[in-house]
Amino acid sequence: MAQGTSGKEAATSTLWDRTRQLAAQEILQTALRLFTQQGYDETTIAQIAREAGVSQRTLFRYFGTKEDLIGGSEEQFVTLVTETVRNQPADAGAWEVLRAAFEAALSLHTSREEALERFRLVHDTDSLRATYLRKRARCQEELLPLLEPRLTPPGTDRGQARAIVATAFACFDAATATWLEGKGQGDILDLYDQGLAAVRG
Amino acid sequence: MAQGTSGKEAATSTLWDRTRQLAAQEILQTALRLFTQQGYDETTIAQIAREAGVSQRTLFRYFGTKEDLIGGSEEQFVTLVTETVRNQPADAGAWEVLRAAFEAALSLHTSREEALERFRLVHDTDSLRATYLRKRARCQEELLPLLEPRLTPPGTDRGQARAIVATAFACFDAATATWLEGKGQGDILDLYDQGLAAVRG
DNA sequence: GCCCATCTGTCAGTCGCTGCCAAACTCCAT
DNA sequence: ATGGAGTTTGGCAGCGACTGACAGATGGGC
């Protein structure tokens, strides 16, 4: 497909999978480059496929959706959040657990610059923002049963649990929005704490 | 286009506009009927246009997007919320004002059944849910400057204001979700109060 | 009745996305 | 290494949402 790989060190899996992974990476990098260069909506699948050296059909087999080309990180985000919550000590409260999950999720990004770029792309592109919000909503629903046993007043019902989770995510979103507005100044988690403090008096 | 209107009482505007409005209503009713009958994604624009007696092109001239066929109510929702907030007494606090806005928005629905049906459609259809969330986000941003002078601790900054607005909407969403889960039992506003109480408790 | 403005339908085209089929490829057994 | 089995790939045709352009119909003002 692309250049022949001269090196042939032993790999964990078959040569096929390695090629596959390489192709996926190539597609992803091309897509991200074009998105940041000329915008998401202005970049067509055809162009990405052409520049990545694959057919449109193959591209859609790797990533089922155009949004998936940038949404992979969101998928990671969701997975990491739920996983972190699951692995938290049993005596930790709901708010505490959620904060830890956000902290873990934020540590995914390699650099401030990369995080800023990606956040801005999602924040400014309507369709991407919509997809993110959708995934976030699903994540909240998944978190619900995990958090119910951690709620401090035992009389708390499902509806209230939902409100708590929704609030945590809302404050996280507000924090990232403010962080973006300030061009990446300060720490998102600090902004999250400040926002939550304002809410909970 | 459709049947000739035999009645010709004096109207506020020209006959043209009246015809226009009638056609729009016809399209809207047809769309809503088909959506609830066979689902949103399973209903094509072509089908709506055919059954409403207009061309696809005309349909798109009336409603720029398929989502607009059901999103009109959301547009109303957003408008009413911001307008209510704007007309609130100057000494009312942010939380108070937001609650009043939600209450006003909920009074839009004619009946519990209709509200239930529409909420469920938006809640269960991914694309519609995404569009609703997008509009909600824009609404939050518009509300921000209106609420900043109403925040009780004067040292509250923009980031914290954003968190408060986001939390209010999050709790409202949680309330509607819980309301839907309970098949419309109880009052959404009560659920909202309970959720917020759990958050701010 | 006539002209102008507006609206409407038709047509063609773009873009995201999917099903289908034949060719190319990797892998394994012989 | 050779053949067969299972995957993967690319090209093609097609669907559905949506848009621009053009020609024709329609209402309003004279």
Side-chain angles (χ1 to χ4, degrees), chain A residues 1 16 20 55 57-58 61-62:
Chain A
M1 192 104 322
W16 247 33
R20 246 181 103 75
S55 73
R57 199 67 193 79
T58 301
R61 269 194 274 259
Y62 278 75

Side-chain angles (χ1 to χ4, degrees), chain B residues 64-82:
Chain B
T65 305
K66 184 182 181 185
E67 287 160 355
D68 285 357
L69 287 168
I70 212 193
S73 52
E74 294 163 15
E75 198 62 38
Q76 272 186 354
F77 174 89
V78 169
T79 312
L80 188 54
V81 165
T82 55

Side-chain angles (χ1 to χ4, degrees), chain B residues 143-175:
Chain B
L143 249 43
L144 218 49
L146 298 177
L147 288 175
E148 254 164 324
R150 296 177 184 277
L151 295 173
T152 33
T156 317
D157 66 1
R158 189 178 188 78
Q160 291 180 308
R162 212 193 303 264
I164 288 174
V165 181
T167 296
F169 276 87
C171 286
F172 182 76
D173 270 7

Side-chain angles (χ1 to χ4, degrees), chain A:
Chain A
M1 192 104 322
Q3 281 78 328
T5 51
S6 50
K8 49 175 69 178
E9 19 273 300
T12 52
S13 52
T14 134
L15 179 133
W16 247 33
D17 295 357
R18 262 174 291 157
T19 317
R20 246 181 103 75
Q21 204 169 340
L22 244 159
Q25 228 169 329
E26 172 73 23
I27 294 173
L28 223 57
Q29 284 175 359
T30 309
L32 230 63
R33 177 170 56 81
L34 292 174
F35 287 162
T36 52
Q37 271 178 12
Q38 55 188 29
Y40 177 80
D41 287 327
E42 288 70 30
T43 307
T44 66
I45 291 286
Q47 188 185 11
I48 301 172
R50 204 182 319 126
E51 299 205 15
V54 294
S55 73
Q56 275 193 44
R57 199 67 193 79
T58 301
L59 194 152
F60 275 117
R61 269 194 274 259
Y62 278 75
F63 307 90
T65 305
K66 185 182 181 185
E67 288 161 353
D68 284 358
L69 287 167
I70 212 191
S73 52
E74 294 164 15
E75 198 62 39
Q76 272 187 353
F77 174 88
V78 169
T79 312
L80 188 54
V81 165
T82 55
E83 215 48 43
T84 306
V85 165
R86 219 181 297 270
N87 295 336
Q88 218 67 12
D91 60 342
W95 293 108
E96 199 179 336
V97 165
L98 284 167
R99 205 197 107 105
F102 292 145
E103 188 173 10
L106 283 174
S107 70
L108 267 179
H109 298 277
T110 54
S111 70
R112 244 172 182 64
E113 286 70 26
E114 200 233 47
L116 194 61
E117 195 172 89
R118 203 173 286 246
F119 274 157
R120 188 170 299 284
L121 198 57
V122 173
H123 187 86
D124 293 349
T125 309
D126 264 14
S127 45
L128 288 178
R129 190 185 173 86
T131 309
Y132 162 68
L133 288 171
R134 194 192 324 165
K135 281 185 182 162
R136 212 199 62 173
R138 209 198 49 198
C139 181
Q140 286 176 222
E141 285 298 317
E142 276 180 35
L143 248 45
L144 218 48
L146 298 177
L147 288 175
E148 254 164 322
R150 311 182 105 100
L151 295 173
T152 32
T156 317
D157 66 1
R158 189 180 189 77
Q160 292 180 308
R162 211 192 305 264
I164 288 174
V165 181
T167 296
F169 276 87
C171 286
F172 183 76
D173 270 7
T176 57
T178 304
W179 187 70
L180 275 177
E181 211 174 49
K183 295 175 183 174
Q185 279 180 353
D187 193 276
I188 295 188
L189 219 54
D190 287 346
L191 292 169
Y192 171 75
D193 289 335
Q194 289 168 26
L196 207 54
V199 167
R200 309 194 64 199

